[in-house]
């Protein structure tokens, strides 16, 4: 089977990361680069990616995300790296563009032997003063909306097998 198709079929959300093992800078760069090659409407490249490897900021983001979710658990399941995707709301296709970036990030992580998971609530985070300060501190101007967090790291346990695909997933018109 083609390696790309195999990655797409075997990638699963990871909910148990090895908290002791950090992802290499080279792997993070490769994953982020893959994200930048996601298709975007009219080639506008509306998304941006914030790669968070700083443990203190990662933990602050986890705390804020947990508050939005109404819990005190780590919403990133111990993943050491958070890749936050935001997209420029002035571009009509920004949500789709950001979603495609998220997909590329997760598939790239899988191709490198890393676990990943899409975590929501980025929209709420970056509408808050907390998120606005992160953008300001990074010198990011514009009307961005949080699309998602791609948490990545080494899986602590093997991924489960995929569930069978539902019977009415695809309809062919000939």
């Amino acid at each position: 089977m083609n390696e790309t198709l195999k990655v797409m079929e075997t990638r699963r959300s990871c909910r148990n990361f090895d908290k002791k093992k950090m992802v290499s800078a080279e792997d993070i760069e490769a994953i982020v680069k893959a994200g930048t090659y996601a298709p975007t409407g009219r080639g506008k490249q509306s998304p941006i990616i914030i790669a968070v490897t700083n443990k203190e900021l990662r933990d602050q983001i986890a705390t804020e995300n947990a508050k939005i979710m109404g819990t005190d658990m780590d919403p990133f399941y111990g993943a050491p790296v958070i890749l936050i995707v935001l997209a420029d709301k002035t571009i009509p296709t920004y949500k789709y563009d950001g979603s495609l970036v998220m997909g590329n990030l997760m598939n790239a992580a899988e191709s490198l032997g890393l676990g990943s998971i899409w975590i929501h609530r980025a929209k709420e985070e970056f509408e808050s003063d907390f998120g606005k300060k992160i953008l300001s501190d990074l010198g990011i101007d514009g009307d961005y909306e949080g699309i998602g967090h791609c948490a990545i790291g080494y899986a602590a346990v093997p991924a489960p097998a995929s569930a069978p695909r539902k019977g009415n997933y695809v309809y062919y018109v000939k």
Side-chain angles (χ1 to χ4, degrees), residues 36-78:
T36 69
Y37 280 92
T40 60
R42 299 183 68 203
K44 294 287 188 179
Q45 300 181 32
S46 68
I48 60 172
I49 303 165
I50 300 173
V52 180
T53 57
N54 175 285
K55 182 167 176 18
E56 182 180 334
L57 181 56
R58 178 253 182 251
D59 291 347
Q60 290 172 1
I61 293 168
T63 298
E64 290 299 314
N65 194 285
K67 284 182 195 173
I68 295 165
M69 189 169 50
T71 186
D72 61 357
M73 69 165 270
D74 177 2
F76 303 124
Y77 301 97

Side-chain angles (χ1 to χ4, degrees), residues 106-173:
M106 292 184 292
N107 285 327
E110 175 71 18
S111 77
L112 295 173
L114 296 164
S116 69
I117 188 169
W118 180 329
I119 301 297
H120 294 284
R121 296 169 296 282
K123 179 182 188 302
E124 296 85 350
E125 268 177 21
F126 286 89
E127 288 174 344
S128 74
D129 290 339
F130 171 81
K132 288 176 185 175
K133 181 171 181 344
I134 292 172
L135 296 178
S136 175
D137 289 349
L138 292 170
I140 298 170
D141 293 321
D143 194 12
Y144 287 96
E145 181 173 304
I147 304 299
H149 309 80
C150 181
I152 63 171
Y154 290 93
V157 297
S162 65
R165 302 296 94 176
K166 65 182 184 177
N168 62 344
Y169 218 132
V170 179
Y171 293 84
Y172 291 95
V173 179

